[in-house]
Amino acid sequence: MPDLDRYHRQILLPGIGEAGQRRLMGAHALVVGCGALGTMIIDALARAGVGRLRLVDRDIVELTNLQRQVLFDEADVAEGIPKAEAARAKVARVNSQVVVEAHVDDFNATNADRFAEGVDLVLDGLDNFETRYLVNDLAVARGLPYLYGGAVGTTGMSMPILPHPRHRRGPGPGPGAIAWTAEQSTPCLRCVFPEAPPPGSSPTCDTAGVLGPAVAMIAAHQVTQALKLLTGHLDLIDRSLHSIDVWSNQTHSFDVGEARRTSECPCCVNGVFEYLEGGAGSSTTTLCGRNAVQIAPADGHTLDLADMAARLAAHGTFTHNRYLLRGTFTTDRGRDGEPLELTLFANGRAIIKGTTEPQVARSLYAKYVGV
Ligand SMILES: [Zn+2]
């Protein structure tokens, strides 16, 4: 029997009680992105006793993350631990009753469906709109609640999305899943934000900075809505776009009901899932604001990182652990002479820093990783 004592203060709440707590313990949440939003979400869900967490993140912990990414510490930075793994290890120490799956991977159209299997809802810990539209497609196609959230600078926004069921397809969520009617559905992310801002045109955390408490308020809003959904309080969901600037003390609740009535959304009205269906083959992505390019092969490989490190030794300085290899080339430079840094994950995915040009990154990858 799982231990209920640790949840005593939560069970005391009339909206939760023992029955609600048991529902939380039987729930399964997908958290996409383990940055500032993601780690605050994961921490809160694990402490609240949400029984299963599936975490997906492609990055490793860096020193500049520690200002706000609450599950990480200096040892994670020193050891170069991937964020999803570091989060899993920390949650195991916070609440050993929670089952955590950590996926060190790029969340993209080739694997999104697989990551959604069996989950009750999706929480957004992302830093870019393109991947959010993919999550939105996934939520509409599979009938999953999607707790959108985003924060940059001193501002943030969040909105719960209960997609209209008209284009639901595929297996959908598992047993005990949250059910709602067409009348109870909300606009989707693309009804409210029809187009993603072009890359480079909007501030990112890397260029504009970000205040930890702004993120915390957004994460708290997302988690609160998730806890209401998972305990059966669909009627109490905040059905608005919630926006806050903690520095200038402004909060707004935008009524999105009109967006639902008038939407000509390609996704939830017309059933075109262009982000979900867009991906096949390997992908090469310039990582906005980070002077880096990511290469994600279509099919996962399992690389022998020790062997790879030995092969690369003549070309620069490289170290590896069980998750990844990283280092700087002395033999290869970017077009402007900048040294190129490689981070290579065990599944073949690579981040090449020191260039924003996909062809430079692809040729380096072909030369040394050769997949
Ligand atoms: Zn829509």
Side-chain angles (χ1 to χ4, degrees), residues 132-168:
R132 287 195 177 102
Y133 283 147
L134 171 62
V135 173
N136 187 67
D137 272 6
L138 185 70
V140 174
R142 297 191 71 133
L144 285 170
Y146 165 30
L147 288 313
Y148 155 70
V152 66
T154 60
T155 68
M157 280 193 284
S158 56
M159 181 176 72
I161 294 162
L162 297 170
H164 196 288
R166 63 167 77 86
H167 295 296
R168 192 177 293 183

PDB file of all heavy atoms in Angstrom, residues 132-168:
ATOM      1  N   ARG A 132       5.689  23.995 -29.343  1.00  0.00           N
ATOM      2  CA  ARG A 132       4.364  24.125 -28.710  1.00  0.00           C
ATOM      3  C   ARG A 132       3.259  23.784 -29.705  1.00  0.00           C
ATOM      4  O   ARG A 132       2.270  23.146 -29.346  1.00  0.00           O
ATOM      5  CB  ARG A 132       4.151  25.543 -28.192  1.00  0.00           C
ATOM      6  CG  ARG A 132       4.949  25.834 -26.960  1.00  0.00           C
ATOM      7  CD  ARG A 132       4.451  27.085 -26.257  1.00  0.00           C
ATOM      8  NE  ARG A 132       5.211  27.266 -25.042  1.00  0.00           N
ATOM      9  CZ  ARG A 132       6.209  28.154 -24.911  1.00  0.00           C
ATOM     10  NH1 ARG A 132       6.529  28.962 -25.901  1.00  0.00           N
ATOM     11  NH2 ARG A 132       6.869  28.236 -23.786  1.00  0.00           N
ATOM     12  N   TYR A 133       3.414  24.209 -30.965  1.00  0.00           N
ATOM     13  CA  TYR A 133       2.394  23.866 -31.964  1.00  0.00           C
ATOM     14  C   TYR A 133       2.354  22.361 -32.208  1.00  0.00           C
ATOM     15  O   TYR A 133       1.293  21.803 -32.485  1.00  0.00           O
ATOM     16  CB  TYR A 133       2.657  24.604 -33.279  1.00  0.00           C
ATOM     17  CG  TYR A 133       2.256  26.060 -33.242  1.00  0.00           C
ATOM     18  CD1 TYR A 133       2.959  27.003 -33.955  1.00  0.00           C
ATOM     19  CD2 TYR A 133       1.164  26.476 -32.492  1.00  0.00           C
ATOM     20  CE1 TYR A 133       2.596  28.343 -33.924  1.00  0.00           C
ATOM     21  CE2 TYR A 133       0.797  27.811 -32.455  1.00  0.00           C
ATOM     22  CZ  TYR A 133       1.516  28.742 -33.168  1.00  0.00           C
ATOM     23  OH  TYR A 133       1.151  30.052 -33.135  1.00  0.00           O
ATOM     24  N   LEU A 134       3.492  21.726 -32.095  1.00  0.00           N
ATOM     25  CA  LEU A 134       3.520  20.263 -32.206  1.00  0.00           C
ATOM     26  C   LEU A 134       2.766  19.635 -31.033  1.00  0.00           C
ATOM     27  O   LEU A 134       1.948  18.720 -31.220  1.00  0.00           O
ATOM     28  CB  LEU A 134       4.983  19.787 -32.250  1.00  0.00           C
ATOM     29  CG  LEU A 134       5.203  18.282 -32.158  1.00  0.00           C
ATOM     30  CD1 LEU A 134       4.554  17.556 -33.336  1.00  0.00           C
ATOM     31  CD2 LEU A 134       6.708  17.967 -32.110  1.00  0.00           C
ATOM     32  N   VAL A 135       3.012  20.124 -29.823  1.00  0.00           N
ATOM     33  CA  VAL A 135       2.296  19.610 -28.649  1.00  0.00           C
ATOM     34  C   VAL A 135       0.795  19.866 -28.812  1.00  0.00           C
ATOM     35  O   VAL A 135      -0.044  19.007 -28.497  1.00  0.00           O
ATOM     36  CB  VAL A 135       2.820  20.260 -27.348  1.00  0.00           C
ATOM     37  CG1 VAL A 135       1.965  19.857 -26.146  1.00  0.00           C
ATOM     38  CG2 VAL A 135       4.275  19.872 -27.098  1.00  0.00           C
ATOM     39  N   ASN A 136       0.455  21.032 -29.347  1.00  0.00           N
ATOM     40  CA  ASN A 136      -0.949  21.390 -29.564  1.00  0.00           C
ATOM     41  C   ASN A 136      -1.609  20.425 -30.566  1.00  0.00           C
ATOM     42  O   ASN A 136      -2.712  19.921 -30.322  1.00  0.00           O
ATOM     43  CB  ASN A 136      -1.011  22.831 -30.071  1.00  0.00           C
ATOM     44  CG  ASN A 136      -2.425  23.359 -30.179  1.00  0.00           C
ATOM     45  OD1 ASN A 136      -3.096  23.534 -29.172  1.00  0.00           O
ATOM     46  ND2 ASN A 136      -2.892  23.589 -31.393  1.00  0.00           N
ATOM     47  N   ASP A 137      -0.925  20.138 -31.676  1.00  0.00           N
ATOM     48  CA  ASP A 137      -1.428  19.159 -32.653  1.00  0.00           C
ATOM     49  C   ASP A 137      -1.671  17.813 -31.962  1.00  0.00           C
ATOM     50  O   ASP A 137      -2.701  17.158 -32.160  1.00  0.00           O
ATOM     51  CB  ASP A 137      -0.393  18.924 -33.768  1.00  0.00           C
ATOM     52  CG  ASP A 137      -0.521  19.909 -34.931  1.00  0.00           C
ATOM     53  OD1 ASP A 137      -1.329  20.843 -34.832  1.00  0.00           O
ATOM     54  OD2 ASP A 137       0.205  19.732 -35.936  1.00  0.00           O
ATOM     55  N   LEU A 138      -0.695  17.416 -31.179  1.00  0.00           N
ATOM     56  CA  LEU A 138      -0.767  16.127 -30.482  1.00  0.00           C
ATOM     57  C   LEU A 138      -1.968  16.084 -29.535  1.00  0.00           C
ATOM     58  O   LEU A 138      -2.710  15.096 -29.483  1.00  0.00           O
ATOM     59  CB  LEU A 138       0.538  15.952 -29.693  1.00  0.00           C
ATOM     60  CG  LEU A 138       0.770  14.645 -28.974  1.00  0.00           C
ATOM     61  CD1 LEU A 138       1.027  13.529 -29.984  1.00  0.00           C
ATOM     62  CD2 LEU A 138       1.988  14.770 -28.037  1.00  0.00           C
ATOM     63  N   ALA A 139      -2.158  17.178 -28.793  1.00  0.00           N
ATOM     64  CA  ALA A 139      -3.258  17.240 -27.823  1.00  0.00           C
ATOM     65  C   ALA A 139      -4.613  17.173 -28.528  1.00  0.00           C
ATOM     66  O   ALA A 139      -5.524  16.468 -28.078  1.00  0.00           O
ATOM     67  CB  ALA A 139      -3.143  18.523 -27.007  1.00  0.00           C
ATOM     68  N   VAL A 140      -4.735  17.880 -29.663  1.00  0.00           N
ATOM     69  CA  VAL A 140      -6.006  17.882 -30.402  1.00  0.00           C
ATOM     70  C   VAL A 140      -6.247  16.502 -31.015  1.00  0.00           C
ATOM     71  O   VAL A 140      -7.338  15.943 -30.931  1.00  0.00           O
ATOM     72  CB  VAL A 140      -6.010  18.986 -31.488  1.00  0.00           C
ATOM     73  CG1 VAL A 140      -7.266  18.900 -32.349  1.00  0.00           C
ATOM     74  CG2 VAL A 140      -5.911  20.365 -30.839  1.00  0.00           C
ATOM     75  N   ALA A 141      -5.191  15.922 -31.610  1.00  0.00           N
ATOM     76  CA  ALA A 141      -5.343  14.632 -32.288  1.00  0.00           C
ATOM     77  C   ALA A 141      -5.636  13.491 -31.320  1.00  0.00           C
ATOM     78  O   ALA A 141      -6.338  12.551 -31.659  1.00  0.00           O
ATOM     79  CB  ALA A 141      -4.084  14.315 -33.094  1.00  0.00           C
ATOM     80  N   ARG A 142      -5.099  13.568 -30.111  1.00  0.00           N
ATOM     81  CA  ARG A 142      -5.273  12.462 -29.168  1.00  0.00           C
ATOM     82  C   ARG A 142      -6.270  12.762 -28.060  1.00  0.00           C
ATOM     83  O   ARG A 142      -6.470  11.920 -27.175  1.00  0.00           O
ATOM     84  CB  ARG A 142      -3.928  12.077 -28.559  1.00  0.00           C
ATOM     85  CG  ARG A 142      -2.964  11.571 -29.619  1.00  0.00           C
ATOM     86  CD  ARG A 142      -1.742  10.950 -29.016  1.00  0.00           C
ATOM     87  NE  ARG A 142      -2.026   9.679 -28.377  1.00  0.00           N
ATOM     88  CZ  ARG A 142      -1.303   8.569 -28.550  1.00  0.00           C
ATOM     89  NH1 ARG A 142      -0.287   8.573 -29.354  1.00  0.00           N
ATOM     90  NH2 ARG A 142      -1.603   7.481 -27.899  1.00  0.00           N
ATOM     91  N   GLY A 143      -6.847  13.956 -28.075  1.00  0.00           N
ATOM     92  CA  GLY A 143      -7.819  14.286 -27.030  1.00  0.00           C
ATOM     93  C   GLY A 143      -7.205  14.389 -25.652  1.00  0.00           C
ATOM     94  O   GLY A 143      -7.770  13.912 -24.674  1.00  0.00           O
ATOM     95  N   LEU A 144      -6.040  15.038 -25.591  1.00  0.00           N
ATOM     96  CA  LEU A 144      -5.346  15.207 -24.309  1.00  0.00           C
ATOM     97  C   LEU A 144      -5.458  16.643 -23.824  1.00  0.00           C
ATOM     98  O   LEU A 144      -5.291  17.571 -24.622  1.00  0.00           O
ATOM     99  CB  LEU A 144      -3.853  14.910 -24.475  1.00  0.00           C
ATOM    100  CG  LEU A 144      -3.421  13.460 -24.612  1.00  0.00           C
ATOM    101  CD1 LEU A 144      -1.949  13.390 -25.007  1.00  0.00           C
ATOM    102  CD2 LEU A 144      -3.645  12.735 -23.291  1.00  0.00           C
ATOM    103  N   PRO A 145      -5.710  16.862 -22.539  1.00  0.00           N
ATOM    104  CA  PRO A 145      -5.606  18.231 -22.016  1.00  0.00           C
ATOM    105  C   PRO A 145      -4.162  18.707 -22.131  1.00  0.00           C
ATOM    106  O   PRO A 145      -3.236  17.937 -21.893  1.00  0.00           O
ATOM    107  CB  PRO A 145      -5.988  18.086 -20.537  1.00  0.00           C
ATOM    108  CG  PRO A 145      -6.687  16.777 -20.434  1.00  0.00           C
ATOM    109  CD  PRO A 145      -6.101  15.908 -21.498  1.00  0.00           C
ATOM    110  N   TYR A 146      -4.001  19.979 -22.510  1.00  0.00           N
ATOM    111  CA  TYR A 146      -2.674  20.569 -22.702  1.00  0.00           C
ATOM    112  C   TYR A 146      -2.604  21.834 -21.856  1.00  0.00           C
ATOM    113  O   TYR A 146      -3.372  22.770 -22.073  1.00  0.00           O
ATOM    114  CB  TYR A 146      -2.471  20.845 -24.197  1.00  0.00           C
ATOM    115  CG  TYR A 146      -1.317  21.761 -24.578  1.00  0.00           C
ATOM    116  CD1 TYR A 146      -0.157  21.834 -23.812  1.00  0.00           C
ATOM    117  CD2 TYR A 146      -1.386  22.536 -25.731  1.00  0.00           C
ATOM    118  CE1 TYR A 146       0.888  22.667 -24.178  1.00  0.00           C
ATOM    119  CE2 TYR A 146      -0.337  23.368 -26.108  1.00  0.00           C
ATOM    120  CZ  TYR A 146       0.792  23.439 -25.317  1.00  0.00           C
ATOM    121  OH  TYR A 146       1.812  24.275 -25.675  1.00  0.00           O
ATOM    122  N   LEU A 147      -1.676  21.853 -20.904  1.00  0.00           N
ATOM    123  CA  LEU A 147      -1.507  23.023 -20.052  1.00  0.00           C
ATOM    124  C   LEU A 147      -0.379  23.867 -20.620  1.00  0.00           C
ATOM    125  O   LEU A 147       0.801  23.637 -20.336  1.00  0.00           O
ATOM    126  CB  LEU A 147      -1.197  22.608 -18.608  1.00  0.00           C
ATOM    127  CG  LEU A 147      -2.332  21.989 -17.761  1.00  0.00           C
ATOM    128  CD1 LEU A 147      -3.609  22.797 -17.870  1.00  0.00           C
ATOM    129  CD2 LEU A 147      -2.600  20.550 -18.104  1.00  0.00           C
ATOM    130  N   TYR A 148      -0.764  24.842 -21.460  1.00  0.00           N
ATOM    131  CA  TYR A 148       0.222  25.723 -22.086  1.00  0.00           C
ATOM    132  C   TYR A 148       0.797  26.696 -21.054  1.00  0.00           C
ATOM    133  O   TYR A 148       0.064  27.212 -20.199  1.00  0.00           O
ATOM    134  CB  TYR A 148      -0.445  26.513 -23.231  1.00  0.00           C
ATOM    135  CG  TYR A 148       0.242  27.820 -23.559  1.00  0.00           C
ATOM    136  CD1 TYR A 148       1.497  27.817 -24.157  1.00  0.00           C
ATOM    137  CD2 TYR A 148      -0.342  29.038 -23.238  1.00  0.00           C
ATOM    138  CE1 TYR A 148       2.153  29.008 -24.429  1.00  0.00           C
ATOM    139  CE2 TYR A 148       0.304  30.241 -23.516  1.00  0.00           C
ATOM    140  CZ  TYR A 148       1.547  30.220 -24.110  1.00  0.00           C
ATOM    141  OH  TYR A 148       2.201  31.397 -24.362  1.00  0.00           O
ATOM    142  N   GLY A 149       2.085  26.956 -21.159  1.00  0.00           N
ATOM    143  CA  GLY A 149       2.715  27.978 -20.332  1.00  0.00           C
ATOM    144  C   GLY A 149       3.968  28.486 -21.012  1.00  0.00           C
ATOM    145  O   GLY A 149       4.607  27.748 -21.771  1.00  0.00           O
ATOM    146  N   GLY A 150       4.309  29.747 -20.778  1.00  0.00           N
ATOM    147  CA  GLY A 150       5.544  30.303 -21.325  1.00  0.00           C
ATOM    148  C   GLY A 150       5.956  31.505 -20.496  1.00  0.00           C
ATOM    149  O   GLY A 150       5.090  32.228 -19.990  1.00  0.00           O
ATOM    150  N   ALA A 151       7.254  31.712 -20.331  1.00  0.00           N
ATOM    151  CA  ALA A 151       7.724  32.864 -19.565  1.00  0.00           C
ATOM    152  C   ALA A 151       9.038  33.353 -20.138  1.00  0.00           C
ATOM    153  O   ALA A 151       9.892  32.556 -20.529  1.00  0.00           O
ATOM    154  CB  ALA A 151       7.914  32.481 -18.099  1.00  0.00           C
ATOM    155  N   VAL A 152       9.180  34.670 -20.211  1.00  0.00           N
ATOM    156  CA  VAL A 152      10.437  35.293 -20.632  1.00  0.00           C
ATOM    157  C   VAL A 152      10.508  36.679 -19.996  1.00  0.00           C
ATOM    158  O   VAL A 152       9.471  37.308 -19.766  1.00  0.00           O
ATOM    159  CB  VAL A 152      10.535  35.337 -22.183  1.00  0.00           C
ATOM    160  CG1 VAL A 152       9.494  36.253 -22.799  1.00  0.00           C
ATOM    161  CG2 VAL A 152      11.927  35.718 -22.658  1.00  0.00           C
ATOM    162  N   GLY A 153      11.707  37.138 -19.690  1.00  0.00           N
ATOM    163  CA  GLY A 153      11.843  38.431 -19.019  1.00  0.00           C
ATOM    164  C   GLY A 153      11.150  38.372 -17.660  1.00  0.00           C
ATOM    165  O   GLY A 153      11.412  37.465 -16.855  1.00  0.00           O
ATOM    166  N   THR A 154      10.235  39.314 -17.426  1.00  0.00           N
ATOM    167  CA  THR A 154       9.497  39.323 -16.155  1.00  0.00           C
ATOM    168  C   THR A 154       8.026  38.986 -16.392  1.00  0.00           C
ATOM    169  O   THR A 154       7.178  39.238 -15.546  1.00  0.00           O
ATOM    170  CB  THR A 154       9.593  40.703 -15.480  1.00  0.00           C
ATOM    171  OG1 THR A 154       9.029  41.694 -16.375  1.00  0.00           O
ATOM    172  CG2 THR A 154      11.043  41.071 -15.185  1.00  0.00           C
ATOM    173  N   THR A 155       7.722  38.436 -17.583  1.00  0.00           N
ATOM    174  CA  THR A 155       6.329  38.176 -17.948  1.00  0.00           C
ATOM    175  C   THR A 155       6.098  36.693 -18.229  1.00  0.00           C
ATOM    176  O   THR A 155       7.037  35.947 -18.481  1.00  0.00           O
ATOM    177  CB  THR A 155       5.943  38.933 -19.238  1.00  0.00           C
ATOM    178  OG1 THR A 155       6.673  38.360 -20.327  1.00  0.00           O
ATOM    179  CG2 THR A 155       6.276  40.406 -19.144  1.00  0.00           C
ATOM    180  N   GLY A 156       4.849  36.338 -18.211  1.00  0.00           N
ATOM    181  CA  GLY A 156       4.514  34.960 -18.566  1.00  0.00           C
ATOM    182  C   GLY A 156       3.046  34.839 -18.901  1.00  0.00           C
ATOM    183  O   GLY A 156       2.231  35.724 -18.601  1.00  0.00           O
ATOM    184  N   MET A 157       2.707  33.731 -19.562  1.00  0.00           N
ATOM    185  CA  MET A 157       1.316  33.449 -19.924  1.00  0.00           C
ATOM    186  C   MET A 157       1.045  31.973 -19.728  1.00  0.00           C
ATOM    187  O   MET A 157       1.943  31.145 -19.906  1.00  0.00           O
ATOM    188  CB  MET A 157       1.069  33.778 -21.400  1.00  0.00           C
ATOM    189  CG  MET A 157       0.856  35.243 -21.651  1.00  0.00           C
ATOM    190  SD  MET A 157       0.209  35.536 -23.301  1.00  0.00           S
ATOM    191  CE  MET A 157       1.673  35.317 -24.265  1.00  0.00           C
ATOM    192  N   SER A 158      -0.214  31.665 -19.386  1.00  0.00           N
ATOM    193  CA  SER A 158      -0.599  30.263 -19.322  1.00  0.00           C
ATOM    194  C   SER A 158      -2.063  30.129 -19.689  1.00  0.00           C
ATOM    195  O   SER A 158      -2.839  31.088 -19.560  1.00  0.00           O
ATOM    196  CB  SER A 158      -0.328  29.685 -17.933  1.00  0.00           C
ATOM    197  OG  SER A 158      -0.995  30.438 -16.961  1.00  0.00           O
ATOM    198  N   MET A 159      -2.421  28.943 -20.174  1.00  0.00           N
ATOM    199  CA  MET A 159      -3.803  28.699 -20.596  1.00  0.00           C
ATOM    200  C   MET A 159      -4.042  27.191 -20.666  1.00  0.00           C
ATOM    201  O   MET A 159      -3.289  26.488 -21.329  1.00  0.00           O
ATOM    202  CB  MET A 159      -4.029  29.315 -21.984  1.00  0.00           C
ATOM    203  CG  MET A 159      -5.447  29.147 -22.508  1.00  0.00           C
ATOM    204  SD  MET A 159      -5.705  29.994 -24.100  1.00  0.00           S
ATOM    205  CE  MET A 159      -4.791  28.949 -25.224  1.00  0.00           C
ATOM    206  N   PRO A 160      -5.080  26.726 -19.989  1.00  0.00           N
ATOM    207  CA  PRO A 160      -5.417  25.316 -20.139  1.00  0.00           C
ATOM    208  C   PRO A 160      -6.177  25.102 -21.445  1.00  0.00           C
ATOM    209  O   PRO A 160      -7.029  25.914 -21.819  1.00  0.00           O
ATOM    210  CB  PRO A 160      -6.344  25.022 -18.955  1.00  0.00           C
ATOM    211  CG  PRO A 160      -6.496  26.290 -18.204  1.00  0.00           C
ATOM    212  CD  PRO A 160      -5.980  27.407 -19.047  1.00  0.00           C
ATOM    213  N   ILE A 161      -5.852  24.034 -22.138  1.00  0.00           N
ATOM    214  CA  ILE A 161      -6.500  23.717 -23.408  1.00  0.00           C
ATOM    215  C   ILE A 161      -7.164  22.344 -23.301  1.00  0.00           C
ATOM    216  O   ILE A 161      -6.497  21.340 -23.016  1.00  0.00           O
ATOM    217  CB  ILE A 161      -5.471  23.741 -24.563  1.00  0.00           C
ATOM    218  CG1 ILE A 161      -4.949  25.175 -24.746  1.00  0.00           C
ATOM    219  CG2 ILE A 161      -6.094  23.217 -25.857  1.00  0.00           C
ATOM    220  CD1 ILE A 161      -3.671  25.282 -25.517  1.00  0.00           C
ATOM    221  N   LEU A 162      -8.486  22.342 -23.482  1.00  0.00           N
ATOM    222  CA  LEU A 162      -9.255  21.089 -23.566  1.00  0.00           C
ATOM    223  C   LEU A 162      -9.752  21.040 -25.005  1.00  0.00           C
ATOM    224  O   LEU A 162     -10.760  21.659 -25.352  1.00  0.00           O
ATOM    225  CB  LEU A 162     -10.445  21.116 -22.594  1.00  0.00           C
ATOM    226  CG  LEU A 162     -10.095  21.197 -21.111  1.00  0.00           C
ATOM    227  CD1 LEU A 162     -11.339  21.459 -20.270  1.00  0.00           C
ATOM    228  CD2 LEU A 162      -9.425  19.915 -20.650  1.00  0.00           C
ATOM    229  N   PRO A 163      -9.037  20.324 -25.888  1.00  0.00           N
ATOM    230  CA  PRO A 163      -9.336  20.434 -27.321  1.00  0.00           C
ATOM    231  C   PRO A 163     -10.730  19.937 -27.674  1.00  0.00           C
ATOM    232  O   PRO A 163     -11.235  18.992 -27.072  1.00  0.00           O
ATOM    233  CB  PRO A 163      -8.281  19.545 -27.976  1.00  0.00           C
ATOM    234  CG  PRO A 163      -7.233  19.343 -26.953  1.00  0.00           C
ATOM    235  CD  PRO A 163      -7.907  19.437 -25.623  1.00  0.00           C
ATOM    236  N   HIS A 164     -11.331  20.586 -28.682  1.00  0.00           N
ATOM    237  CA  HIS A 164     -12.621  20.138 -29.217  1.00  0.00           C
ATOM    238  C   HIS A 164     -12.452  18.717 -29.750  1.00  0.00           C
ATOM    239  O   HIS A 164     -11.468  18.418 -30.436  1.00  0.00           O
ATOM    240  CB  HIS A 164     -13.061  21.078 -30.342  1.00  0.00           C
ATOM    241  CG  HIS A 164     -14.502  20.933 -30.682  1.00  0.00           C
ATOM    242  ND1 HIS A 164     -15.001  19.834 -31.339  1.00  0.00           N
ATOM    243  CD2 HIS A 164     -15.569  21.738 -30.431  1.00  0.00           C
ATOM    244  CE1 HIS A 164     -16.307  19.968 -31.489  1.00  0.00           C
ATOM    245  NE2 HIS A 164     -16.679  21.126 -30.939  1.00  0.00           N
ATOM    246  N   PRO A 165     -13.397  17.828 -29.457  1.00  0.00           N
ATOM    247  CA  PRO A 165     -13.210  16.414 -29.848  1.00  0.00           C
ATOM    248  C   PRO A 165     -13.452  16.105 -31.321  1.00  0.00           C
ATOM    249  O   PRO A 165     -13.273  14.967 -31.751  1.00  0.00           O
ATOM    250  CB  PRO A 165     -14.232  15.682 -28.969  1.00  0.00           C
ATOM    251  CG  PRO A 165     -15.244  16.687 -28.595  1.00  0.00           C
ATOM    252  CD  PRO A 165     -14.580  18.026 -28.614  1.00  0.00           C
ATOM    253  N   ARG A 166     -13.815  17.116 -32.147  1.00  0.00           N
ATOM    254  CA  ARG A 166     -14.261  16.785 -33.519  1.00  0.00           C
ATOM    255  C   ARG A 166     -13.187  16.099 -34.374  1.00  0.00           C
ATOM    256  O   ARG A 166     -13.512  15.327 -35.247  1.00  0.00           O
ATOM    257  CB  ARG A 166     -14.792  18.027 -34.247  1.00  0.00           C
ATOM    258  CG  ARG A 166     -13.776  19.119 -34.456  1.00  0.00           C
ATOM    259  CD  ARG A 166     -14.279  20.175 -35.442  1.00  0.00           C
ATOM    260  NE  ARG A 166     -15.246  21.088 -34.871  1.00  0.00           N
ATOM    261  CZ  ARG A 166     -14.942  22.212 -34.190  1.00  0.00           C
ATOM    262  NH1 ARG A 166     -13.684  22.531 -33.958  1.00  0.00           N
ATOM    263  NH2 ARG A 166     -15.887  23.011 -33.745  1.00  0.00           N
ATOM    264  N   HIS A 167     -11.902  16.368 -34.108  1.00  0.00           N
ATOM    265  CA  HIS A 167     -10.861  15.745 -34.932  1.00  0.00           C
ATOM    266  C   HIS A 167     -10.013  14.755 -34.142  1.00  0.00           C
ATOM    267  O   HIS A 167      -8.898  14.430 -34.533  1.00  0.00           O
ATOM    268  CB  HIS A 167      -9.967  16.808 -35.566  1.00  0.00           C
ATOM    269  CG  HIS A 167     -10.707  17.669 -36.544  1.00  0.00           C
ATOM    270  ND1 HIS A 167     -11.258  17.162 -37.699  1.00  0.00           N
ATOM    271  CD2 HIS A 167     -11.031  18.989 -36.503  1.00  0.00           C
ATOM    272  CE1 HIS A 167     -11.874  18.143 -38.344  1.00  0.00           C
ATOM    273  NE2 HIS A 167     -11.761  19.254 -37.643  1.00  0.00           N
ATOM    274  N   ARG A 168     -10.577  14.274 -33.043  1.00  0.00           N
ATOM    275  CA  ARG A 168      -9.832  13.324 -32.228  1.00  0.00           C
ATOM    276  C   ARG A 168      -9.642  12.024 -33.008  1.00  0.00           C
ATOM    277  O   ARG A 168     -10.546  11.551 -33.673  1.00  0.00           O
ATOM    278  CB  ARG A 168     -10.623  13.052 -30.936  1.00  0.00           C
ATOM    279  CG  ARG A 168      -9.828  12.311 -29.908  1.00  0.00           C
ATOM    280  CD  ARG A 168     -10.640  12.141 -28.650  1.00  0.00           C
ATOM    281  NE  ARG A 168     -10.893  13.427 -27.978  1.00  0.00           N
ATOM    282  CZ  ARG A 168     -11.534  13.523 -26.816  1.00  0.00           C
ATOM    283  NH1 ARG A 168     -11.997  12.433 -26.212  1.00  0.00           N
ATOM    284  NH2 ARG A 168     -11.732  14.698 -26.271  1.00  0.00           N
TER     285      ARG A 168
END
